[in-house]
Amino acid sequence: MLSLLISLLPVAVAGTMSAVPASMTIIILLSPTSQRGAWWFLTGSFTGTLLLVGAAAAGLRFLPGAEGPDRNATLAVGGLVVAACVIAYGIYVLSHPRTTDSAALTRVRTRVGSARPWEYLALGLALNLRPKAIILSLTAGTLIGLQGLEPVASGVVVLAYILIAQAEILVPIVLRIRRPERADAVLQGLDAWLQRHSGTITGVTLLVAGLFIAWLSVARF
């Protein structure tokens, strides 16, 4: 299990280095309803990631032939398909640098002061529908599913992955609670750094994760 957690670390770091969720978290934390909104936002994001990663990990068990004599070959083919998608998206991210969607953030700023709890929850859930979030969740779920762990062990690994991947939201919240007098400057600096470097970090980690999935898949033949 330890080796699996280590292999998931690059994918989780790629999830952590996402400018959009981090920027939205910072906007919420700097609003009048910071405490309430941030926790609901985290809950939505955590739940969405849990559903996607869990579905991807469990889905490999239900592939045609996944429990028969050709189980290894079936899982290997499924893993190679996922690896190809991850590598292709990593190349796309590296070759198409972009900044955070300022229009989306502007809409969040206009609503954040009057938003209700369910709106923060829905926003957190919706962020998991971004292409990057889907690819990362699919990658993590595939890495977990390829190991063939028992359901309880798989659940523990899924939760550990999500806790790391959600650090982009969790860390700013904790910082705001523990060091409110310094939080504003630190959060704004973190936001600016992510805007500059998140694309490169995500692209590289996706390539590494995709190659790792391909290696694990080929080893099953």
Side-chain angles (χ1 to χ4, degrees), residues 1-13 140 143-144 147 149 153-165 212 216:
M1 185 182 294
L2 180 60
S3 61
L4 174 58
L5 289 172
I6 293 173
S7 68
L8 284 170
L9 192 57
V11 187
V13 170
L143 285 172
I144 296 169
Q147 297 300 312
L149 299 176
S154 295
V156 171
V157 175
V158 168
L159 290 176
Y161 165 80
I162 295 173
L163 285 175
I164 298 173
F212 188 76
L216 285 178

Side-chain angles (χ1 to χ4, degrees), residues 100-212:
T100 302
D101 185 356
S102 58
L105 294 182
T106 299
R107 289 194 295 271
V108 172
R109 288 190 179 95
T110 59
R111 288 285 302 154
V112 73
S114 59
R116 288 165 288 184
W118 70 266
E119 292 179 286
Y120 290 114
L121 182 67
L123 178 61
L125 285 168
L127 285 180
N128 288 282
L129 300 178
R130 293 173 300 130
K132 174 184 174 180
I134 293 174
I135 288 291
L136 291 175
S137 294
L138 185 62
T139 301
T142 301
L143 285 172
I144 296 169
L146 284 172
Q147 297 300 312
L149 299 176
E150 293 298 320
V152 173
S154 295
V156 171
V157 175
V158 168
L159 290 176
Y161 165 80
I162 295 173
L163 285 175
I164 298 173
Q166 294 294 309
E168 62 189 347
I169 300 175
L170 186 58
V171 170
I173 293 175
V174 173
L175 176 63
R176 182 74 173 182
I177 294 173
R178 296 294 299 274
R179 295 287 187 272
E181 68 283 354
R182 298 178 53 192
D184 289 6
V186 173
L187 291 176
Q188 291 171 357
L190 175 62
D191 185 27
W193 185 86
L194 285 173
Q195 301 264 1
R196 292 194 301 270
H197 302 291
S198 67
T200 300
I201 295 172
T202 298
V204 171
T205 51
L206 282 173
L207 290 178
V208 172
L211 291 172
F212 188 76

